[in-house]
Amino acid sequence: MALSQGRLGKYNPEKPTENRITDIGPRHFWSNFPPVIQQNYGKWAYHDILEPGILVHVSETGDKVFTVRCGGSRLMSAENIREICDIADKYCDGYVRFTTRNNIEFMVTSYEKVQELKKDLLSRKYISGSYKFPIGGTGAGVTNIVHTQGYIHCHTPATDASSMVKAVMDELMDYFTGMTLPAHVRISMACCLNMCGAVHCSDIALLGIHRKPPIVDDNIDSICEIPLAIAACPVGAISPAKTEDGRKSVKIKEERCMFCGNCYTMCPALPLADKEGDGVTILAGGKISNRISEPKFSKVVVPWLPNNFPRFPEVVDAVKKIIEAYASDARKYERIGDWAERIGWEKFFEKCDLPFTEHLIDDYRLAYDTYRTSTQFKFTGKAWEVSRAAGGIDD
Amino acid sequence: MEFKPKRPQKDLKYDELRIYSDAELHNYTDEELKNLKLKHDIPKLDELEKGPWPSFVADAKQEALHRKKLPDDRVMIPKDVVDDMLGQLELSFDDGETHWKHGGIVGVFGYGGGVIGRYSDVPEKFPSVAQFHTLRVNQPASKFYKTDFLRALADLWEYRGSGMFNMHGSTGDIILLGTSTEQLEPIFYDLTHELDQDLGGSGSNLRTPSCCIGKARCEFACIDTQDLCYEMTTHYQDELHRPAFPYKFKIKIDGCPNGCVASIARSDMSLIGTWRDDIRIDQEAVRAYMAGDIQPNAGAHSGREWGKFDIQKEVIDLCPTGCMAMEDGRLKINNSECNRCMHCINVMPRALRPGVDTGVSVLFGAKAPILEGAQMAVLTVPFMKVEPPYDNLKELIEKIWDWWMEEGKNRERLGELIQRKGLPKFLEVIGVPAAPQMVRHPRTNPYIFWKEEDVPGGWKRDIKDYRQRHKR
C-alpha cells in the first residue's frame, strides 16, 4: 500500500476497465470521530460558548469536549492542510473537522489544552502578516463567508469570489472575533446568479451580475444546440434567426434581456462578461433557520456596485453600513430580515443610508405579491420626494 | 453505540502511503518565502496579503514556493501551476473578465460526472493552467477527518495536481482544484485503490449528499444525520456517478429546524429532524436561567450588555405561537400549539430539550433562481420515522425520481416540475393526502380543477338536453 508514482502510476491506459474500483462512496464517518465524540454520540446534554470561537459540549456522562473554531480561507493549499494536520496531531490526537461554512474546528478534552491550542493558533501568521487560524465565528457575530469559484476557476462569473471575501472579512474581523450583534449574521457570496451556495438565503449576500446582453458569435450553429439556448432564457428574449449568409443563429431582444447569463451557460457562443458592465449586487434579510420566523429569501437592497479589484471598497462600505445600522437598531435575537420586516423596508433603507431605485422593484412574474397593497407605511425622505414629484407638497 | 461501514474500510496510515519525504515537505525557509519572486507580477493580488483574515494569496505563495523547490520529477503537472493560476487571476482583475474557456467535458471511465473540466483562454501566457480541471471528492459525513487521510490526500494532489483545494465545495465535496486530463485516471486509481475513497457528483444526477454535525456533537439533533447521509450516498451510488436525471438532484440532512446545513434552501430533498412529543423541561435549570446563573443562548450574546436575562421578554413573548407561560414559577409549554421553531431551546439549552419521539419532516424542491426563480423547499411529509435501513425514505425518493425522470423537462429541477404540474399532482405521485400543513394559506383564487369522476354525471353533456330547459 502506497500512493503510486510515475506519470500514470498504477493506472494502465491500455486496459482502462481492468482493476477499476467504482461506487465505493465516501469513507465512513465513524472512524473519523475522535474517541470522546464516539463515546458520547447522541448523549450530549448541553453546550456553552466560553468565549468567541470556543465551545464546550457536556455529555450526560459528564464528559466534555472543547471546540476551537478558526476561520478558513476555503481556497487552501496542501501546505495549509499539512499545517492543520500538524496542529491536529499535536493537540487533537490526529482529528480535525470542517464546518458547513468552511471554518476549521479543533477538538480537545481539557480546558488547559484549549489555552495551549489557542496560543499556538493565534501565533501562526503568514509571512505577510494575516492570521492563518483566527479564532471566532461563534454566537452573535459574523462568521465565515460561504463563497464560490470566481475568476479562480469558473467560466460564467461576473466578479471574483476569493478576493471579495478577503476584502470584506478583513473589515469585519471584529465581528468574527466578537459576539456583539443582536443575532448571528450570515454573509455569503456568489459570482453569478446561478447562486452556487447560499446567496438567496443569507442575512447579507454579495452577488456578481452583468448589465449587458450577450454578444452573438457567428459560429453559434456549429458549437451550440440552439433550442437549448432559446429555452435557457427566463424572459423569452432569444429567438431563432439566420445570419446574412444563411447560417442558423439567434437574435436577442436586447430590451427584454436582464443579463442573467443562463444562455451562455448553455451556449459558448453567447458570452456576456464585460469590464464596465459587470459588478456586484447586494441582497439582505434572508435566513435558513426556522427560529421564531420562517426561512426567508434575501432581498436586493443595492442594485449594482463596481468590481473595484482587488478590495471592492464600495461593497465593503455598503456591507458595513448595513451591519452597523442593524447592530445599533435591532432587538436581541432579531436577524437582519426580522429587523427589516419589523421596522418596514422603507425604514431599512433610511437607517442603512442606502438609496432606493427602480431596480429594486420586482418586475418578474410574481412581482405583484411584493408590492405594497395597503396604506400602512412610514414616512421617510423618499416619501416626500414622491409627494413633491407628484405635486402633493410644495416644500 | 457504534456505526459500521457497509463494507470493510481500509485503515489508512500516512507513513505507508506518503509520496514525499520529510525533507521534501519542509523544503523552504521563511526567508525564502519572504523573498519569493513569482513568475508573474501580481500587484493587485499582493494587496490581498494585507489585513487580518487568512490570505489565500499568502497561502498560495507557500504552495508555489514549495512546488518550485521540489525536484522536477516529483510533480506530474507543471511545477509553476500555482504561479500561473495567480497570474491569470491578476489578468482577470485587470480585464474585469474571467479567463476560463466555456465548459469542458472530461472525466474518468465508468462515471459520467465528478470532474469539472476547465481550460484557460490565454494558454500562451499561462501554459501551466492550460488544463485546470477540478475533481470533486466525496467528503465523509460532517467533515470529520483523520490527519492520515488528509496528509495522504495532500501528497496525492500535490504530486498529480496543483496542490490547491477548496475545503469544501458548497455541496460538501472536497474540491481538488486544477490538474491535467492525463492525470485524472491516475488520481482516481489511487483515490479508490489506496485511499478507499470515491468521487462526488456533478452533472444531471444525484449530487453528493451532506449533513450537519448531528448527534456527533449537538444536543439538538433529532436523527442520526451522518448515518442517514452515508446510507443515501452509498445506496444511490449509481444515481450519483452516472447522470440519468433531467437535471441535478441534491439531498441534505439537518438534525433539527435550525438548519445548519441549510437543506431547506439548498437541496431538492430536504430532511429536517424534528419530534412529535413534548419538549423536555428541567424546571430547576429554568430557575437557574432566571436567576442569572446560566447565560442565555449558551453565551452567544456575551460580547454586549443586553441586561439581565428576562424569560418573559426573551422567550415567552418571542415564541411565534404564544404557547408558553410562567405559572407558579414553572415554565409551561402547550406542546400541541408548538411549531418546534427551536427558539426557546436555543435560548435555554440546559433547561429545554427536544422530545424523544423523533423523526424527520420531508420537504422538496429548493433551488437557486435559474430558471423560474429561487425556491425554498415545500413541506410535504410532516413527520416520518427514520430508522436503518431507511426503506420508507428510499420508497419515497424512488417514487419521486420515477415521476420526475418521466415528466421532467430537460434541465427542469424538481421544484420547477412541482410548480408546473401543481403540488396536488405531486401529492398524488407520492401517495399522500393533502394537508393544511403543506400550505402557508389556502389558495385565494377560485380557479379550481376537479376530476371528472368526482363530479356527479361526469363531463359528457348534450347541448340538446340543455336546450330543452333553456331556449336559445
Side-chain angles (χ1 to χ4, degrees):
Chain A
M1 219 169 75
L3 292 172
S4 66
Q5 297 187 32
R7 199 166 63 85
L8 296 179
K10 292 179 205 143
Y11 170 67
N12 178 3
E14 303 301 320
K15 295 181 174 171
T17 56
E18 199 173 272
N19 291 325
R20 180 167 293 268
I21 297 176
T22 64
D23 301 87
I24 57 174
R27 289 184 63 78
H28 193 246
F29 54 92
W30 187 255
S31 61
N32 289 352
F33 288 169
V36 63
I37 296 293
Q38 284 189 353
Q39 286 150 20
N40 295 286
Y41 180 90
K43 295 181 200 158
W44 298 108
Y46 66 89
H47 76 282
D48 269 318
I49 307 173
L50 300 177
E51 58 184 275
I54 301 182
L55 306 160
V56 61
H57 286 77
V58 182
S59 167
E60 286 159 1
T61 65
D63 282 357
K64 288 182 181 177
V65 63
F66 298 88
T67 302
V68 180
R69 184 176 294 168
C70 308
S73 53
R74 192 180 91 114
L75 170 60
M76 54 174 64
S77 67
E79 285 292 88
N80 192 339
I81 287 172
R82 291 187 181 114
E83 189 162 353
I84 291 169
C85 290
D86 290 343
I87 297 164
D89 283 345
K90 189 168 174 192
Y91 299 95
C92 315
D93 302 318
Y95 296 93
V96 63
R97 81 173 285 264
F98 293 78
T99 70
T100 56
R101 297 191 73 87
N102 306 315
N103 290 312
I104 307 151
E105 290 187 341
F106 297 102
M107 280 166 267
V108 295
T109 49
S110 80
Y111 192 63
E112 293 71 54
K113 268 200 173 170
V114 170
Q115 297 308 317
E116 290 170 44
L117 177 56
K118 191 175 145 187
K119 206 173 141 202
D120 186 341
L121 289 168
L122 293 180
S123 74
R124 291 173 190 257
K125 290 187 171 183
Y126 288 104
I127 211 89
S128 39
S130 65
Y131 284 102
K132 286 179 171 173
F133 304 104
I135 297 171
T138 55
V142 171
T143 186
N144 211 341
I145 300 181
V146 167
H147 65 278
T148 54
Q149 297 295 27
Y151 294 161
I152 281 274
H153 199 260
C154 193
H155 59 148
T156 66
T159 188
D160 185 50
S162 315
S163 54
M164 195 190 304
V165 166
K166 165 73 175 152
V168 172
M169 283 310 289
D170 275 342
E171 291 294 325
L172 300 181
M173 199 63 182
D174 288 348
Y175 294 113
F176 180 80
T177 58
M179 303 189 292
T180 55
L181 295 171
H184 49 277
V185 170
R186 299 295 189 231
I187 306 177
S188 66
M189 190 277 155
C191 44
C192 83
L193 52 57
N194 282 335
M195 294 191 182
C196 303
V199 159
H200 60 306
C201 51
S202 297
D203 293 281
I204 298 177
L206 313 172
L207 176 69
I209 61 153
H210 306 288
R211 295 188 301 167
K212 297 187 184 181
I215 320 163
V216 183
D217 201 325
D218 52 19
N219 70 342
I220 186 166
D221 60 338
S222 59
I223 58 172
C224 295
E225 196 79 59
I226 286 176
L228 292 186
I230 291 169
C233 183
V235 290
I238 309 178
S239 50
K242 284 255 165 71
T243 59
E244 279 175 18
D245 52 357
R247 292 172 67 183
K248 281 186 180 165
S249 183
V250 298
K251 60 172 179 289
I252 296 173
K253 270 207 179 108
E254 294 191 341
E255 72 282 6
R256 197 181 275 186
C257 173
M258 45 57 178
F259 331 112
C260 73
N262 195 41
C263 57
Y264 179 59
T265 298
M266 297 308 294
C267 171
L270 296 169
L272 77 162
D274 185 87
K275 185 173 187 170
E276 284 80 25
D278 295 353
V280 186
T281 282
I282 300 183
L283 301 89
K287 72 190 269 275
I288 294 298
S289 87
N290 291 275
R291 184 176 187 169
I292 305 175
S293 60
E294 291 183 1
K296 301 177 201 288
F297 285 122
S298 344
K299 285 90 181 165
V300 180
V301 295
V302 179
W304 187 85
L305 293 170
N307 274 337
N308 205 341
F309 303 109
R311 286 217 163 255
F312 301 90
E314 298 85 355
V315 174
V316 169
D317 182 54
V319 170
K320 281 173 75 176
K321 268 187 184 171
I322 296 169
I323 293 190
E324 281 162 15
Y326 160 73
S328 72
D329 200 62
R331 295 174 184 166
K332 194 177 179 183
Y333 305 114
E334 257 179 354
R335 297 286 292 267
I336 287 185
D338 297 329
W339 168 62
E341 285 176 14
R342 176 174 59 81
I343 63 176
W345 283 98
E346 65 270 43
K347 280 284 177 188
F348 173 91
F349 283 94
E350 186 183 67
K351 286 178 196 261
C352 294
D353 186 28
L354 296 172
F356 190 92
T357 70
E358 74 275 16
H359 308 99
L360 305 181
I361 300 177
D362 198 354
D363 49 10
Y364 183 71
R365 290 187 190 171
L366 303 175
Y368 188 80
D369 289 348
T370 68
Y371 301 161
R372 190 166 303 201
T373 52
S374 85
T375 58
Q376 297 178 1
F377 66 88
K378 296 174 183 176
F379 289 113
T380 63
K382 267 288 180 186
W384 306 132
E385 242 180 75
V386 175
S387 296
R388 274 193 293 274
I393 52 173
D394 298 328
D395 55 354
Chain B
M1 73 181 296
E2 185 175 355
F3 291 96
K4 289 208 169 70
K6 279 181 166 175
R7 49 173 189 81
Q9 178 181 263
K10 277 189 192 175
D11 196 17
L12 306 182
K13 294 269 177 289
Y14 175 61
D15 279 336
E16 295 168 8
L17 291 161
R18 63 191 298 168
I19 289 175
Y20 298 112
S21 66
D22 280 346
E24 284 173 319
L25 290 180
H26 304 285
N27 65 353
Y28 61 90
T29 63
D30 283 358
E31 201 52 35
E32 287 174 292
L33 192 53
K34 210 174 278 176
N35 300 322
L36 172 68
K37 180 83 185 100
L38 288 174
K39 193 172 152 193
H40 313 279
D41 283 334
I42 50 165
K44 290 196 175 80
L45 280 166
D46 287 338
E47 279 296 308
L48 294 171
E49 290 200 69
K50 297 172 187 161
W53 185 252
S55 168
F56 69 98
V57 179
D59 180 25
K61 282 184 176 178
Q62 293 185 156
E63 187 64 27
L65 176 58
H66 173 56
R67 291 183 74 87
K68 221 176 276 266
K69 294 204 69 189
L70 286 169
D72 286 349
D73 63 347
R74 298 296 280 153
V75 285
M76 294 295 111
I77 71 163
K79 284 168 73 175
D80 59 3
V81 60
V82 179
D83 289 62
D84 275 3
M85 180 192 85
L86 293 173
Q88 183 173 308
L89 182 57
E90 179 80 18
L91 180 67
S92 298
F93 287 178
D94 292 342
D95 292 347
E97 293 163 2
T98 187
H99 276 292
W100 298 108
K101 281 187 190 171
H102 184 282
I105 298 172
V106 290
V108 296
F109 283 115
Y111 288 181
V115 187
I116 317 300
R118 201 63 81 210
Y119 299 90
S120 171
D121 71 4
V122 277
E124 68 292 348
K125 283 196 184 111
F126 307 104
S128 299
V129 293
Q131 300 174 359
F132 199 66
H133 313 317
T134 283
L135 290 104
R136 291 187 180 156
V137 174
N138 196 332
Q139 83 289 356
S142 304
K143 299 168 188 154
F144 280 84
Y145 292 101
K146 272 187 179 166
T147 52
D148 285 293
F149 172 81
L150 287 178
R151 286 183 197 278
L153 188 65
D155 274 23
L156 168 64
W157 183 237
E158 199 164 63
Y159 188 71
R160 300 200 178 277
S162 70
M164 296 304 295
F165 291 79
N166 287 154
M167 296 297 278
H168 292 72
S170 294
T171 298
D173 299 279
I174 301 167
I175 305 294
L176 309 183
L177 194 70
T179 193
S180 67
T181 309
E182 178 202 69
Q183 288 299 313
L184 295 174
E185 289 286 5
I187 291 164
F188 181 65
Y189 189 99
D190 273 15
L191 271 179
T192 50
H193 286 78
E194 304 300 336
L195 299 186
D196 209 355
Q197 166 69 55
D198 211 333
L199 295 181
S202 69
S204 291
N205 60 5
L206 173 65
R207 300 295 184 85
T208 309
S210 64
C211 62
C212 72
I213 196 168
K215 292 181 184 177
R217 204 199 57 204
C218 180
E219 67 272 23
F220 302 155
C222 297
I223 50 167
D224 297 313
T225 56
Q226 287 94 2
D227 189 50
L228 186 46
C229 185
Y230 176 79
E231 177 60 28
M232 296 305 264
T233 309
T234 48
H235 188 74
Y236 293 116
Q237 281 289 292
D238 187 30
E239 286 76 3
L240 191 151
H241 293 303
R242 297 166 198 89
F245 293 163
Y247 203 8
K248 64 180 99 169
F249 192 95
K250 302 189 181 190
I251 301 174
K252 289 196 195 304
I253 302 153
D254 278 306
C256 84
N258 280 331
C260 290
V261 76
S263 71
I264 202 166
R266 296 167 62 179
S267 60
D268 299 84
M269 184 188 199
S270 160
L271 304 169
I272 303 181
T274 190
W275 64 95
R276 57 175 171 169
D277 53 347
D278 291 351
I279 291 176
R280 290 172 282 168
I281 307 179
D282 176 347
Q283 297 290 352
E284 200 66 30
V286 172
R287 283 190 286 277
Y289 275 105
M290 292 169 71
D293 297 338
I294 311 175
Q295 284 207 74
N297 219 113
H301 299 77
S302 58
R304 180 154 144 193
E305 185 45 65
W306 289 97
K308 187 174 178 289
F309 176 63
D310 180 342
I311 195 169
Q312 186 68 38
K313 195 170 136 207
E314 295 186 38
V315 181
I316 296 169
D317 291 349
L318 291 182
C319 171
T321 65
C323 72
M324 307 181 82
M326 287 302 293
E327 283 171 23
D328 307 325
R330 293 173 72 80
L331 182 66
K332 289 271 165 29
I333 301 175
N334 180 357
N335 282 282
S336 68
E337 294 299 319
C338 169
N339 64 9
R340 302 169 316 286
C341 83
M342 295 296 295
H343 177 63
C344 59
I345 297 174
N346 287 338
V347 176
M348 302 192 293
R350 288 210 213 182
L352 301 176
R353 305 182 68 181
V356 293
D357 187 1
T358 56
V360 290
S361 296
V362 191
L363 299 87
F364 287 101
K367 58 179 282 292
I370 294 293
L371 201 63
E372 304 278 348
Q375 293 178 207
M376 299 265 188
V378 175
L379 179 69
T380 309
V381 180
F383 187 86
M384 202 175 202
K385 287 302 245 189
V386 279
E387 312 286 351
Y390 309 107
D391 286 340
N392 54 350
L393 268 179
K394 290 173 187 167
E395 277 169 34
L396 178 62
I397 197 173
E398 285 165 29
K399 276 183 212 160
I400 288 157
W401 282 349
D402 281 349
W403 177 62
W404 176 54
M405 288 166 75
E406 183 74 25
E407 298 284 340
K409 294 200 281 193
N410 182 38
R411 287 172 63 85
E412 184 176 45
R413 291 288 285 266
L414 176 66
E416 289 166 339
L417 179 62
I418 295 173
Q419 277 217 38
R420 181 159 64 84
K421 296 279 186 179
L423 184 59
K425 177 69 197 170
F426 184 65
L427 301 180
E428 194 183 310
V429 166
I430 62 174
V432 302
Q437 283 82 355
M438 295 166 185
V439 294
R440 193 168 286 123
H441 58 73
R443 69 192 302 156
T444 56
N445 65 69
Y447 304 159
I448 306 169
F449 288 100
W450 293 92
K451 291 196 185 89
E452 185 174 6
E453 61 268 29
D454 292 341
V455 188
W459 291 351
K460 302 241 175 329
R461 291 187 289 164
D462 190 339
I463 187 69
K464 282 185 210 138
D465 292 342
Y466 183 83
R467 283 297 162 222
Q468 281 178 1
R469 299 187 299 280
H470 306 284
K471 285 201 180 60
R472 191 139 52 182

